[in-house]
Amino acid sequence: MLETSRNTRPDGRRDLVTELLGLWLLLAVFLDGWAHINLPGLETFFTPWHAALYSGMLATAAWTAVVIWRNRTPGQPLLQAAPPGYRGTAVGVVLFAVAGGLDLLWHEILGIEVSLDALVSPTHLLLGFSQFLILGTAVRSARAAGHGSIGHGAAGHRAASHAGNPELTPAALFAVVLMTGLGAFFLIYVSAFVRPGPTALFTPTPVGTPGRIQAELPVVITLASYLLTTALIIAPFLFTLSAAGRPARGIVTMLVAAAAWLPVVMIGLRPTSIAGAAGTTVAAIVVDLLLTRVPETWLGRRLPAVTAGIAALLWTGQLVAFAVTDAIRWPVSLWLGAVVLSAAVAAGLALLSSWGRSPLPREL
């Protein structure tokens, strides 16, 4: 009985250390991405940026080994000694080592990627998946311990609270933000924060006009970027909401910071991107303040309206920043349509997340 208790008990400090090591890995990934974008002459695997990444992984591997060893009871098989959530971490560490070796072999045979292919290279995607496993440690730990009844919504959260379980741990919340940042890295080519967007000149071209497809392609990509970036922010927001029952303090601002500022720094701090990220961040702060006043019933049956409002406010903040610092050159039907479509995506995600869930009772 004592052995079981020791192997399953949560440890917030331990998880927080793991996530801080995850932050090291995430920043190293963006640093390496910055080098690929801004130093096109890279022709070797052995760079200071790879050293930052792989030293972070060595530190993570050592910490994971220490955590498992300390949790082990006398006579217990090592494979059973991992605390809740840390088996996935160990798998991530091993997978990263395998992917790193394959990446070295890939670069030695095929050379160094210098463009979009670096983000979709199979070995880099495998490295990304292994990091996702590592960054998700605190979420798995909280789920195993029953913290916040992750995945059961507000009603499940209240039941968990009555049972004595605390809310989603700070380490788990931090993990969600870090995983959002990792997603932003691998989706940077469709990020609404790194493109000129509505500040770029666009002249509507009638159907059938030669060159119309080429003229509209940047706008099409930007519209898709708005939709995907909206999903990148709203999906983790909904996950944390399902875990804690109420929006965590500052959650939207933290998610925007991960999804916006890390890519903006990676591409080289372009003025337009800085302005757009700043405007969205200010809007995110406003959203977080408004969320503290949202009635609990709105987080049930009216949740699609709440998430649609979040998306609309975020992108309105970006557009205002563009208008103040530069100019909006898209026709109003286009930029307003981008906001409406983004709000629709956010509402759709909320509807899917609550599908089949019992509605919350009305407050008396």
Side-chain angles (χ1 to χ4, degrees):
M1 187 72 178
L2 290 176
E3 180 176 318
T4 302
S5 175
R6 180 178 180 181
N7 288 337
T8 59
R9 68 187 183 191
D11 189 326
R13 291 184 179 179
R14 176 183 64 203
D15 292 346
L16 187 57
V17 171
T18 304
E19 297 305 328
L20 287 174
L21 289 169
L23 176 62
W24 178 351
L25 293 173
L26 181 64
L27 294 178
V29 165
F30 274 94
L31 180 62
D32 186 51
W34 174 89
H36 278 281
I37 292 175
N38 297 283
L39 302 175
L42 288 177
E43 296 180 355
T44 177
F45 178 86
F46 300 98
T47 66
W49 305 279
H50 276 181
L53 176 60
Y54 285 92
S55 62
M57 183 51 62
L58 286 175
T60 302
W63 170 249
T64 303
V66 168
V67 166
I68 295 175
W69 183 259
R70 285 182 176 178
N71 197 64
R72 180 176 178 271
T73 57
Q76 183 183 34
L78 194 60
L79 291 177
Q80 299 178 9
Y86 281 80
R87 287 188 180 182
T89 313
V91 171
V93 168
V94 173
L95 190 59
F96 189 96
V98 173
L102 292 175
D103 192 45
L104 172 60
L105 184 62
W106 180 283
H107 289 322
E108 291 300 319
I109 296 175
L110 300 176
I112 305 294
E113 301 91 349
V114 295
S115 185
L116 177 62
D117 53 345
L119 291 171
V120 297
S121 165
T123 55
H124 287 175
L125 292 176
L126 190 59
L127 286 168
F129 178 69
S130 66
Q131 289 180 63
F132 192 82
L133 288 175
I134 294 168
L135 296 179
T137 299
V139 173
R140 295 191 300 271
S141 179
R143 182 172 185 175
H147 284 26
S149 291
I150 293 179
H152 296 287
H157 167 69
R158 285 200 297 269
S161 297
H162 290 312
N165 288 331
E167 296 183 1
L168 187 66
T169 63
L173 188 63
F174 189 29
V176 172
V177 174
L178 293 180
M179 287 189 286
T180 301
L182 185 62
F185 174 82
F186 280 100
L187 294 175
I188 194 169
Y189 52 91
V190 283
S191 171
F193 294 109
V194 302
R195 297 185 174 280
T199 64
L201 182 62
F202 171 70
T203 303
T205 305
V207 176
T209 302
R212 181 183 66 85
I213 294 178
Q214 291 81 356
E216 291 183 349
L217 188 59
V219 175
V220 171
I221 295 174
T222 301
L223 288 173
S225 298
Y226 273 116
L227 304 185
L228 288 171
T229 307
T230 297
L232 183 65
I233 295 170
I234 297 299
F237 168 79
L238 290 170
F239 176 80
T240 60
L241 181 63
S242 72
R246 291 285 306 179
R249 291 179 182 269
I251 180 60
V252 177
T253 303
M254 289 187 285
L255 292 173
V256 166
W261 287 105
L262 289 174
V264 166
V265 172
M266 175 173 156
I267 65 170
L269 292 172
R270 299 169 187 169
T272 302
S273 298
I274 293 174
T280 312
T281 303
V282 171
I285 295 172
V286 173
V287 166
D288 280 322
L289 292 174
L290 292 175
L291 285 174
T292 61
R293 296 180 172 274
V294 170
E296 187 171 349
T297 53
W298 284 36
L299 301 177
R301 56 176 57 88
R302 297 180 182 176
L303 183 58
V306 172
T307 54
I310 292 173
L313 283 173
L314 292 180
W315 298 128
T316 298
Q318 186 197 54
L319 291 170
V320 169
F322 284 157
V324 170
T325 60
D326 191 354
I328 296 179
R329 298 179 177 87
W330 279 8
V332 62
S333 57
L334 197 55
W335 61 258
L336 186 57
V339 174
V340 172
L341 282 173
S342 298
V345 167
L349 289 172
L351 187 62
L352 289 174
S353 73
S354 59
W355 192 268
R357 185 185 303 166
S358 299
L360 294 176
R362 292 184 180 274
E363 292 181 341
L364 299 177

